[in-house]
Amino acid sequence: MSDDDPMLLTTLKRPKGFIRYALVTSAIALASVTAALAAGVTPAEAASFVHRPDAQVLVFMAPLTLLLVAILFEVARIALRGALPAQAPTGRPPRRPWSPGRGEG
């Protein structure tokens, strides 16, 4: 393959925001861990916290609530844009019943 091959060029490109996204999320994770350790939260303390019913409800409801908020955001974004996405094609055309061809049956 030559260096001018467009297929090669398109597969080597990385998303422009991926590196920035990875750095920001890593920084947030590091800051969260540092804040937890500075606040005195230890793994043993966190394990005893998990056995309380309030924590179990929080662990279940927090991701569920975030998912619901994300879905509502997408619905509002599409509705406020004013145009619905194009309808998907209906698929394959219906089959015709079989009939014998030339030299058959």
Side-chain angles (χ1 to χ4, degrees), residues 5-16:
D5 187 11
M7 197 63 179
L8 180 64
L9 295 175
T10 57
T11 56
L12 294 178
K13 289 182 182 177
R14 288 189 179 202
K16 292 183 178 184

Side-chain angles (χ1 to χ4, degrees), residues 2 6 26-27 31 43-44 54 60 65 69 74 77 79-80 84 86 94 97-98 103:
S2 69
S26 298
D54 293 340
F60 173 72
T65 304
V69 167
E74 283 297 315
R77 186 177 65 85
L80 292 176
L84 291 176
W98 181 83

Side-chain angles (χ1 to χ4, degrees), residues 93-100:
R95 291 186 191 183
R96 295 181 318 190
W98 181 83
S99 61

Side-chain angles (χ1 to χ4, degrees), residues 13-101:
K13 289 182 182 177
R14 288 189 179 202
K16 292 183 178 184
F18 179 75
I19 301 288
R20 190 176 317 135
Y21 177 74
L23 290 174
V24 169
T25 54
S26 298
I28 290 172
L30 182 64
S32 301
V33 168
T34 305
L37 289 175
V41 177
T42 61
E45 202 174 297
S48 67
F49 176 72
V50 173
H51 292 294
R52 296 182 10 207
D54 293 340
Q56 293 173 358
V57 169
L58 178 69
V59 166
F60 173 72
M61 288 302 293
L64 193 62
T65 304
L66 288 173
L67 178 63
L68 182 65
V69 167
I71 290 171
L72 289 175
F73 173 77
E74 283 297 315
V75 167
R77 186 177 65 85
I78 290 171
L80 292 176
R81 191 171 35 180
L84 291 176
Q87 194 160 1
T90 57
R92 295 187 303 191
R95 291 186 191 183
R96 295 181 318 190
W98 181 83
S99 61

